[in-house]
Amino acid sequence: MPEFWVASGHHLTRLDDAGRMIVTDELIVAWLARPEVLPPPEACAAERTLHKRLMDQPRAKVSDMELIALQDPDARENWRFLLTLRDRLIAAGTVEEGYAQIVRDGVTLPVVFMSQLVQLILRNALDGCSDPQVLRAAECFFRPQRSHIQNDTLFLADEELVQLLEQEMHSSPLTAMLSGGIDGLDVLGDGNDWTYWSRSDAHTMVLNFGGDAAARAGMATAIAAYLRHMLGLDCNVTAQASADNTDLRWFVGLDQAGTAIGNALWNKQPLPATLVGLFRLDIADHARVTPDLRGEPIWLFLGLGADGAVRIKPQNLLTGLPLAAPVLN
């Protein structure tokens, strides 16, 4: 199978008997080498010394005194976050269990760290996947998307990429993207799927979420894979075309806007945001579901933020399902 998302660091992990990623020294070193963590040229000697020591001994304990010695308060905060992440993962033993405990305990970490964990987990959950539509849709779990409507069709492009291009062009580049005005940035589909493999880490392919059923089906497949991997949940997820006649006995918002939409529907109020994705989740193992909802579908809502962005919160799927067994596997 072609490789994808090399930047996730999946190749730096080893799997345990359950198929979960063991936290290796190599993975910790890769995080220490991230641009957000590397000491800048103006960093104090204490920070440079700390970074070098951890690069040599990734699991070395760091005292409060070492952190207090850092002159830059932002650096102290960043190092506390990183060490919290490292220590949590090491104590848990696997990336998946560490992430689950972080979500369960409500530990506050920077978005960049949480997104890195989600990408790594999805890379493992989707190992062997041969469908670029599934992989591109799964990027929405850890890469915020910027929306664009063209001919009444919703397209999603990587938000960070769009921002970079806007800085270069001093105007929105999405119209140019979708008309082929920028080399190397194409809408996934119509025979170009094979190019995804060489571009997966660049995040340069646009997702035709509104006009291509394969894109929405890909999102459904990614959701199901995430739930199977994290919760051991035997389930089926299908994309739906309409929210009409939906029995909202239980719903989960995939993002903040989706949660607001679900709450409005539940209370029979006007929608506060635009619904862009609706999915039906059916759990095959009824014993895993609370008795009052066994055999009932769970509805998943994806909305569009007021700023035109889609920012999925995958932790909502871990904490929002009506499971009778422990929520986190």
Side-chain angles (χ1 to χ4, degrees), residues 8 62 152 162 178 181 212 216 232 241 246 249 255 271 319 326:
S8 69
V62 178
D152 295 325
V162 171
L178 299 171
D212 190 346
R216 297 186 296 279
T246 299
R249 296 192 63 183
D255 62 345
L271 297 188
T319 60

Side-chain angles (χ1 to χ4, degrees), residues 17-276:
D17 293 340
R20 296 193 165 193
M21 294 172 289
I22 297 170
V23 182
T24 63
D25 286 0
E26 293 82 0
L27 182 64
I28 298 172
V29 167
W31 284 335
L32 288 167
R34 287 183 61 91
E36 302 89 347
V37 179
L38 282 174
E42 65 275 14
C44 66
E47 183 177 359
R48 292 196 299 271
T49 300
L50 174 60
H51 186 266
K52 184 179 184 306
R53 184 164 74 88
L54 289 177
M55 289 291 285
D56 294 335
Q57 303 175 46
R59 298 172 188 262
K61 292 186 177 180
V62 178
S63 68
D64 284 341
M65 291 303 297
E66 287 180 273
L67 295 179
I68 292 172
L70 303 183
Q71 295 178 4
D72 185 349
D74 290 336
R76 286 198 297 271
E77 182 180 47
N78 290 340
W79 277 102
R80 289 189 189 279
F81 282 135
L82 176 62
L83 293 169
T84 296
L85 172 64
R86 183 200 67 167
D87 294 345
R88 281 264 177 175
L89 295 183
I90 290 174
T94 68
V95 172
E96 288 88 345
E97 184 58 28
Y99 174 74
Q101 291 180 12
I102 287 169
V103 171
R104 180 195 64 200
D105 296 343
V107 177
T108 299
L109 289 175
V111 172
V112 65
F113 289 157
M114 296 298 286
S115 297
Q116 178 79 13
L117 290 178
V118 171
Q119 181 183 19
L120 191 52
I121 289 167
L122 278 169
R123 174 60 186 83
N124 197 28
L126 294 169
D127 192 39
C129 177
S130 60
D131 188 346
Q133 291 283 359
V134 174
L135 301 179
R136 177 59 184 86
E139 290 181 27
C140 301
F141 279 70
F142 56 88
R143 302 280 302 187
Q145 305 292 304
R146 182 80 65 84
S147 66
H148 177 74
I149 304 294
Q150 185 177 39
N151 297 327
D152 295 325
T153 301
L154 174 67
F155 294 87
L156 298 178
D158 188 82
E159 184 176 58
E160 182 178 331
L161 177 66
V162 171
Q163 291 173 347
L164 290 173
L165 292 171
E166 284 178 344
Q167 291 173 6
E168 294 176 0
M169 299 174 63
H170 305 290
S171 63
S172 174
L174 273 177
T175 299
M177 288 182 200
L178 299 171
S179 63
I182 296 179
D183 289 341
L185 203 58
D186 305 317
V187 178
L188 181 63
D190 293 330
N192 69 358
D193 292 30
W194 64 273
T195 68
Y196 178 83
W197 304 106
S198 63
R199 301 156 61 174
S200 69
D201 280 296
H203 309 293
T204 57
M205 300 200 84
V206 178
L207 188 66
N208 184 0
F209 197 74
D212 190 346
R216 297 186 296 279
M219 177 72 76
T221 299
I223 293 170
Y226 176 76
L227 291 174
R228 291 192 192 100
H229 189 71
M230 286 300 298
L231 300 178
L233 202 60
D234 184 6
C235 63
N236 185 53
V237 181
T238 54
Q240 305 292 303
S242 172
D244 295 339
N245 301 318
T246 299
D247 181 8
L248 285 181
R249 296 192 63 183
W250 199 275
F251 73 88
V252 176
L254 294 176
D255 62 345
Q256 185 174 352
T259 299
I261 289 169
N263 288 334
L265 290 172
W266 181 271
N267 294 304
K268 297 181 172 54
Q269 297 173 345
L271 297 188
T274 302
L275 178 67
V276 296

